[in-house]
Every structure is written in structure tokens, then in C-alpha cells.
């Protein structure tokens, strides 16, 4: 069964860091790009970052540039999102999703259920 499972969310204070994980199963991660998305309360879902099969990253949100880093470990079937210097505006449910291809920006076909990140003092 194909699955993407996010973990690592939680409550942090402004300026702190979190690392989210997206553990995948049921397909070979080697062949797919994976994206991170988020949805804040009352807002539409937005793309955050994407990593291609080759490891190239694509930033999808100007607001996280220089603060968030995406990476992948195919041996562990896991994609990560390192989030530094968190701000209250980063509060959202974070989702990972499988791209339809090995490259980013080609649409997604499977989603995880999300992990909540809350940034508050």
C-alpha cells in the first residue's frame, strides 16, 4: 500500500527549529520527486519546497527562502524539511506529496495526512 507519513511537527517558539520527516512506503522513492506543502488556518494550501529525483531542490515559497531546506535519504525512504528561524506565520499543517514524475512542478498524485507545526510564544 502506497503511503506517505509525516512526522516531527509540534509547538515551538519563534526563532526555533524543527525537522519534519516524510516516510514513504509502497513505491520506490528513487524514481520520484517529493514536495512539501502547507496549509495555514483559513488559507489555501501552498507549496513550500520540492526535491527532484536527482536531489535538486525547488523553492516554492519566497517566505521560506534561506530558512527551510529540503533533503532526501533514499536508503531510509525518507524526505526531510529542515525549518530554521521559525515564525508565527509558519504555523500550518505540513504535508508531503509524491510528484507524478522524477521532477518537480509536474503535479502530485499522493498525499500524506499532514503534521501540525505551531509557532507561538
Amino acid at each position: 500500500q502506497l503511503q506517505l507519513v509525516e512526522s516531527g511537527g509540534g509547538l515551538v517558539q519563534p526563532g526555533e527549529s524543527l525537522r519534519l520527516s516524510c516516510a514513504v512506503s509502497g513505491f520506490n522513492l528513487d524514481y520520484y520527486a517529493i514536495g512539501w506543502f502547507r496549509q495555514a488556518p483559513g488559507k489555501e494550501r501552498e507549496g513550500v519546497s520540492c526535491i527532484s529525483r536527482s536531489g535538486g531542490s525547488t523553492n516554492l515559497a519566497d517566505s521560506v527562502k534561506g530558512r527551510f531546506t529540503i533533503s532526501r535519504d533514499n536508503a531510509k525512504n525518507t524526505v526531510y524539511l529542515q525549518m530554521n528561524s521559525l515564525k508565527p506565520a509558519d504555523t500550518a499543517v505540513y504535508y508531503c506529496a509524491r510528484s507524478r514524475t522524477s521532477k518537480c512542478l509536474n503535479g502530485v498524485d499522493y498525499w500524506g495526512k499532514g503534521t501540525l507545526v505551531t509557532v507561538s510564544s
Side-chain angles (χ1 to χ4, degrees):
Q1 183 179 1
L2 194 153
Q3 281 190 311
L4 298 94
V5 180
E6 304 91 338
S7 62
L11 172 63
V12 296
Q13 294 189 347
E16 294 186 339
S17 298
L18 276 177
R19 188 178 77 160
L20 304 183
S21 298
C22 173
V24 310
S25 59
F27 67 97
N28 191 336
L29 180 60
D30 290 6
Y31 297 117
Y32 291 92
I34 299 291
W36 281 98
F37 300 78
R38 68 184 181 184
Q39 187 166 18
K43 296 188 177 181
E44 294 187 355
R45 189 177 298 183
E46 66 170 345
V48 175
S49 188
C50 180
I51 188 163
S52 69
R53 174 188 181 186
S54 63
S57 62
T58 300
N59 182 51
L60 304 175
D62 289 341
S63 61
V64 307
K65 191 174 182 179
R67 300 189 297 123
F68 290 12
T69 303
I70 192 170
S71 62
R72 62 193 294 155
D73 186 339
N74 290 350
K76 294 184 178 180
N77 291 318
T78 303
V79 175
Y80 304 98
L81 184 68
Q82 178 67 43
M83 306 187 296
N84 298 330
S85 301
L86 283 162
K87 305 175 181 180
D90 296 317
T91 295
V93 178
Y94 284 73
Y95 302 87
C96 61
R98 191 184 79 166
S99 175
R100 297 181 187 278
T101 72
S102 62
K103 299 180 180 179
C104 295
L105 304 178
N106 283 346
V108 299
D109 54 8
Y110 288 94
W111 293 86
K113 294 184 178 180
T115 185
L116 176 63
V117 172
T118 303
V119 185
S120 175
S121 55

